[in-house]
Amino acid sequence: MLSVLPPIFILLGLLEVWVPRETIIRFLGQESGLVGILLSLFLGAAAAGPLYGAFPVAATMLRKGAKFSNVMVLLYSWSTLKLPMFLFETSALGAQFSVTRMLINIPGVIIMAWLTSCLIPSPEQEAIYQKHCLANIA
């Protein structure tokens, strides 16, 4: 755990400094649509760290204005669609198994993110956004 967290926090610092809030809002914000979903899927799947490393990334995305459901897609894809695991899985269990699992999980991730954002009431989502915006100011 101690060897994983420093690179994650370095990447978060670079994300905070190098990626403007307007870029996150344009590609992952409320009006991002399919592009936001696909980009969140890719970012979560390309991650190589453990799931607890995804939570600071999710908090940074919320603080920068990403849509709640896109953040959920990132978290769910981080936990189930990792590309490094896909490569290992393909070599160990075969391409048919790996591709089938990936094709089943991609719609599952999107459906779970949609359900999560529908089941969490808007005031609670707003409270989560406020918590992270206030944490940025303090």
Side-chain angles (χ1 to χ4, degrees):
M1 181 166 142
L2 290 177
S3 65
V4 172
L5 287 179
I8 290 173
F9 285 116
I10 289 172
L11 289 174
L12 283 175
L14 294 174
L15 178 68
E16 284 280 346
V17 174
W18 286 351
V19 180
R21 180 178 165 84
E22 294 77 24
T23 303
I24 296 290
I25 290 173
R26 185 174 58 179
F27 290 112
L28 297 170
Q30 295 295 329
E31 306 297 325
S32 61
L34 185 61
V35 171
I37 293 170
L38 293 176
L39 190 58
S40 297
L41 267 175
F42 175 75
L43 290 174
L51 184 58
Y52 58 80
F55 297 121
V57 175
T60 301
M61 288 176 62
L62 286 172
R63 189 171 31 254
K64 288 198 166 244
K67 186 178 179 182
F68 189 79
S69 63
N70 287 340
V71 174
M72 293 297 106
V73 168
L74 174 97
L75 288 174
Y76 293 140
S77 65
W78 191 303
S79 68
T80 58
L81 301 175
K82 290 184 176 182
L83 291 178
M85 186 171 71
F86 175 77
L87 298 174
F88 178 73
E89 186 179 89
T90 301
S91 67
L93 299 173
Q96 184 179 7
F97 176 84
S98 300
V99 170
T100 303
R101 189 187 69 81
M102 185 71 84
L103 291 176
I104 291 172
N105 283 338
I106 288 173
V109 163
I110 295 169
I111 291 169
M112 286 189 311
W114 177 76
L115 278 175
T116 303
S117 64
C118 288
L119 292 174
I120 295 178
S122 294
E124 200 167 323
Q125 290 182 24
E126 188 60 35
I128 293 170
Y129 277 108
Q130 291 299 321
K131 177 182 175 184
H132 290 289
C133 287
L134 292 176
N136 193 30
I137 294 170

